[in-house]
Amino acid sequence: MNSDKKQSRYQRLYKQISDLIKESSNNPISNMSTIAAILHHKIEYFFWTGFYLLQDGKLQAGPYQGSLACINLAKDKGVCWAAINQKKTIVVPNVHEFPNHIACDSRSLSEIVIPIKNSSNEIIGVMDVDSSTVNSFDEIDAQWLEKIADLIYFD
């Protein structure tokens, strides 16, 4: 997908998600479910789309769309923990080149992970998106997914 088409698609999806959430939800889990479902079914290179949430020091599967998720992600391993520990979005062009990558599904080849913050600006988990092709994610994905993630806890 070229950059202009990708920007345009994300603009439309952002508006759709924002309208749905702001009109009918005050529940962050419902918001995550809505976000995962819309993104997963509207962006063709999204193979697994969902959230992992911090719970008692563990990073555990939250709302998602796609193949079966790992329920718990080993502490301080993989892309999700890297995003939490570094407090930033991480784009991985080829997961086989990422140290300590956690393979919940061997068909996943590239990944983007966005830290999720609650209304107190504390990291409470991550949005995780996998693709079955290498080099699927870029700065456009990062910019828009960060913006969409901010809708989970809107003021």
Side-chain angles (χ1 to χ4, degrees):
M1 177 181 320
N2 71 39
S3 296
D4 290 339
K5 184 176 179 181
K6 188 183 278 194
Q7 283 278 9
S8 179
R9 168 125 1 126
Y10 272 119
Q11 284 174 326
R12 286 191 311 275
L13 293 175
Y14 178 83
K15 180 173 180 359
Q16 180 184 7
I17 293 166
S18 178
D19 289 349
L20 282 168
I21 288 173
K22 290 180 179 178
E23 289 175 9
S24 59
S25 177
N26 63 352
N27 181 325
I29 299 298
S30 297
N31 296 346
M32 288 179 212
S33 297
T34 298
I35 289 167
I38 290 173
L39 292 176
H40 188 76
H41 293 284
K42 297 286 187 172
I43 300 184
E44 61 275 359
Y45 56 94
F46 282 25
F47 171 73
W48 191 94
T49 312
F51 297 88
Y52 280 92
L53 304 172
L54 287 167
Q55 181 71 36
D56 299 325
K58 292 182 179 181
L59 194 53
Q60 299 182 318
Y64 70 90
Q65 298 276 313
S67 59
L68 186 63
C70 296
I71 293 175
N72 292 300
L73 298 181
K75 186 154 177 63
D76 297 328
K77 292 187 178 181
V79 184
C80 292
W81 273 105
I84 289 171
N85 292 335
Q86 296 176 35
K87 298 176 174 59
K88 68 177 189 176
T89 296
I90 298 182
V91 175
V92 180
N94 183 340
V95 297
H96 298 295
E97 296 173 357
F98 192 88
N100 294 313
H101 176 258
I102 298 170
C104 297
D105 188 316
S106 62
R107 295 173 290 176
S108 176
L109 297 178
S110 61
E111 186 171 6
I112 186 170
V113 177
I114 299 91
I116 302 300
K117 296 178 182 176
N118 64 17
S119 54
S120 299
N121 208 32
E122 302 162 324
I123 293 177
I124 55 96
V126 295
M127 178 192 303
D128 180 14
V129 182
D130 294 358
S131 176
S132 60
T133 58
V134 294
N135 295 312
S136 290
F137 306 106
D138 59 21
E139 188 57 38
I140 295 170
D141 296 286
Q143 172 192 34
W144 280 101
L145 292 174
E146 288 169 359
K147 190 173 176 176
I148 289 168
D150 286 344
L151 293 171
I152 295 168
Y153 289 92
F154 65 90
D155 294 325

